[in-house]
Amino acid sequence: MDKWVCEVCGYVYDPAEGDPDNNVPPGTKFEDVPDDWVCPVCGAAKENFAREA
Amino acid sequence: MAIIEIKKNIYWVGTVDWNISSFHGYSLARKGSTYNAFLVLDDKVTLFDTVPEKFKLDMYHQIHKLVKPRDIDYIVVNHVELDHSGALPFMVEKCAPEKIFCSPMGEKSLLSHFHKPEWPVQVVKDGESISLGQRDVHFMEARMLLWPDTMFSYIPQDRLLFSSDAFGQNIATSRLFDDEHDLNLLLSESRHYYTNIILPYSSFVQKTLARVRESGLEIDMIAPDHGVIWRSHAGDILAAYEEFASQKVKAKAVLVYDTMWQSTEKMIKAVGDALMEEGIEIRFMSLKRFHHSDVMGEFSDAAGLVCASPTHNNGMLPLMADFLTYMKGLKPKGRVGATLGSFGWSGEAPKAMAEVLETAGFELPVEPLRVKNVPTHENLAQCREMGRALAQKIKDKVAAQS
């Protein structure tokens, strides 16, 4: 499962960890994260993320 | 410093940093700066933000002119960065506040800066309000203006917005209001500040401005944490931020360079000549003379950037590497670029600079140009050709945005 990087602040979404503070359980692929989820650090929208190279 | 009443029973209790020359070590602040903090006298006496740790006693004495620090009930932390919270541990000790208000990200930031889980922190979310007695404070999350924890505090009864780092300028002055200064100077300083500090978060600025418009908040005073307070020109600084955040550019190019034996300088001058002939405004900036933040200040409204460096030890000269690293981090949008330079035996610099510009999202209409040792007339003609091609692209860019 790929990690995705927030292009605004640099936060890395790691599917193994998910984002449990915001109701995204560990093991959730980035593609399966809800569309209204935002970067937990800077609040950027999901569309501001790019697959980690 | 004298305390200054900015609205009835609302006082500036900040400090002026007359001697600072650099903002956080990355952007020059030749005119110094201020750290603004405010005390509201109401049923709940409330302090908004503090100052750097080294000014804690100045602030303490400011406050003492109005109330006993122990009389402070609430502290609002709009932003935890140390220029606004360095004196916070001292003030918490002296005031023993009933509550410290901050954003959800602010809570984490307070903990990882000061390691005081025992502080009476109360998290306020976007849109929440508290009452101070005669007044309310309405909190508005303003993430990435400038940090994830930043929030604005708005007092509707006074139509007053405490805006943290947004709308600031680096100016040390005892004249704390906008109408005590030349407006053009303030807007020019605001642009320099914006470009060097807030530019990467322009999309957040646009969102926040839209929210302020839609919410119908009546604002007749904006009090940022640096520089003057906007009371006569609040509309002008809001409009200026719309413009800065839109990154609208004009037919202008900044030509930034370093040079060893003036070959590279000759080359970039030839590029500049052609740009000028094509009607493009140009600005030459040698990195030996200008700091990277001054170059960015000039580049803020320019469509084009030309970078020239000779090759040194298989790469670019260090001042150019410094500038490019800094510029790329500020994420300017919608620009065109070109790179060139002389070399002795290997010649990697123009390509290396072009790679940085490419990853920074620049359009590069012309191949990097390099010349061995000293340019000939033919080489300089190639440089002029580069300038003409770039001029065309700059004109296209400017035309496309209107």
Side-chain angles (χ1 to χ4, degrees):
Chain A
M1 285 193 289
D2 291 327
K3 293 179 182 175
W4 287 67
V5 184
C6 174
E7 292 186 315
V8 176
C9 73
Y11 162 83
V12 178
Y13 176 81
D14 181 349
E17 290 177 15
D19 179 16
D21 288 349
N22 296 294
N23 306 316
V24 180
T28 308
K29 278 196 291 189
F30 187 76
E31 292 80 347
D32 297 333
V33 171
D35 286 340
D36 60 357
W37 175 85
V38 295
C39 172
V41 173
C42 75
K46 207 179 154 184
E47 67 203 34
N48 291 308
F49 278 70
R51 204 183 292 273
E52 191 174 63
Chain B
M1 293 294 297
I3 47 168
I4 295 172
E5 189 172 37
I6 65 163
K7 287 261 186 185
K8 181 86 186 139
N9 284 328
I10 302 181
Y11 295 87
W12 175 82
V13 291
T15 54
V16 179
D17 198 343
W18 302 99
N19 298 317
I20 199 175
S21 57
S22 173
F23 183 82
H24 303 6
Y26 64 79
S27 181
L28 291 187
R30 289 193 182 85
K31 296 188 175 75
S33 197
T34 70
Y35 311 107
N36 300 333
F38 304 94
L39 192 69
V40 177
L41 303 186
D42 205 322
D43 297 348
K44 294 291 183 186
V45 176
T46 305
L47 175 64
F48 288 81
D49 297 319
T50 67
V51 296
E53 205 268 342
K54 69 174 177 176
F55 292 113
K56 66 186 179 189
L57 289 173
D58 300 72
M59 172 174 228
Y60 186 68
H61 292 132
Q62 295 280 74
I63 289 172
H64 244 301
K65 292 173 189 164
L66 292 161
V67 292
K68 291 191 184 69
R70 280 272 167 189
D71 294 338
I72 292 178
D73 301 289
Y74 294 163
I75 299 179
V76 173
V77 179
N78 282 318
H79 174 30
V80 181
E81 196 168 5
L82 291 167
D83 48 339
H84 309 298
S85 75
L88 185 63
F90 176 76
M91 291 311 297
V92 172
E93 187 194 316
K94 296 293 177 193
C95 306
E98 183 187 329
K99 285 174 183 167
I100 300 170
F101 296 97
C102 66
S103 70
M105 297 303 275
E107 182 186 30
K108 295 178 189 178
S109 199
L110 278 176
L111 198 59
S112 54
H113 273 87
F114 303 113
H115 316 288
K116 301 278 187 195
E118 67 276 18
W119 279 0
V121 170
Q122 182 170 326
V123 170
V124 284
K125 292 198 171 138
D126 186 49
E128 260 184 61
S129 293
I130 58 168
S131 172
L132 306 183
Q134 305 302 308
R135 296 175 185 77
D136 302 312
V137 185
H138 179 82
F139 298 105
M140 193 175 159
E141 198 172 71
R143 282 200 200 192
M144 308 317 282
L145 299 182
L146 173 71
W147 276 19
D149 66 304
T150 301
M151 65 177 187
F152 293 170
S153 299
Y154 174 68
I155 300 183
Q157 290 83 354
D158 294 293
R159 295 192 288 277
L160 166 60
L161 182 73
F162 294 122
S163 65
S164 189
D165 281 321
F167 312 116
Q169 337 84 48
N170 285 314
I171 298 176
T173 178
S174 63
R175 300 268 181 239
L176 264 186
F177 293 105
D178 54 356
D179 47 33
E180 298 172 305
H181 297 262
D182 175 64
L183 179 61
N184 285 329
L185 174 92
L186 291 183
L187 292 175
S188 155
E189 286 297 330
S190 298
R191 181 186 275 279
H192 189 275
Y193 177 102
Y194 183 94
T195 307
N196 281 289
I197 298 166
I198 298 185
L199 185 66
Y201 308 112
S202 289
S203 64
F204 289 84
V205 172
Q206 287 173 318
K207 265 187 250 170
T208 305
L209 289 171
R211 282 186 58 205
V212 168
R213 263 196 316 272
E214 285 156 18
S215 64
L217 289 189
E218 286 181 41
I219 297 173
D220 66 24
M221 182 181 280
I222 298 177
D225 277 355
H226 297 287
V228 303
I229 294 164
W230 303 92
R231 69 173 175 191
S232 294
H233 299 288
D236 293 300
I237 189 62
L238 285 167
Y241 262 53
E242 295 275 8
E243 191 194 321
F244 302 160
S246 75
Q247 296 207 42
K248 198 168 179 205
V249 288
K250 56 184 188 178
K252 170 180 169 184
V254 171
L255 296 99
V256 61
Y257 69 101
D258 198 1
T259 192
M260 231 182 289
W261 299 109
Q262 283 65 53
S263 286
T264 295
E265 188 172 51
K266 285 183 186 117
M267 293 170 71
I268 195 168
K269 275 185 170 172
V271 176
D273 279 354
L275 284 164
M276 244 177 104
E277 282 161 16
E278 294 293 325
I280 308 295
E281 178 188 347
I282 60 166
R283 180 73 202 257
F284 273 104
M285 302 185 94
S286 162
L287 286 165
K288 285 198 180 76
R289 157 92 162 75
F290 293 98
H291 187 255
H292 59 228
S293 58
D294 285 333
V295 181
M296 280 311 294
E298 273 299 326
F299 183 50
S300 130
D301 60 354
L305 180 70
V306 182
C307 297
S309 165
T311 295
H312 173 245
N313 295 339
N314 305 109
M316 65 190 89
L317 280 173
L319 286 174
M320 182 58 75
D322 166 287
F323 168 71
L324 286 175
T325 301
Y326 183 72
M327 185 279 296
K328 188 181 164 194
L330 289 167
K331 299 183 182 166
K333 296 269 185 274
R335 319 292 173 119
V336 294
T339 63
L340 69 165
S342 66
F343 69 101
W345 57 93
S346 60
E348 292 90 341
K351 192 156 176 283
M353 292 185 287
E355 280 166 8
V356 179
L357 293 186
E358 250 170 20
T359 56
F362 281 63
E363 266 185 70
L364 299 170
V366 200
E367 285 294 305
L369 183 63
R370 49 182 218 160
V371 165
K372 194 171 170 76
N373 288 323
V374 177
T376 62
H377 284 293
E378 289 73 28
N379 295 142
L380 294 176
Q382 285 177 295
C383 295
R384 278 190 290 275
E385 187 50 46
M386 172 183 256
R388 276 191 292 275
L390 192 66
Q392 188 53 51
K393 204 75 195 169
I394 287 173
K395 288 176 191 171
D396 294 348
K397 275 274 175 215
V398 173
Q401 69 183 5
S402 53

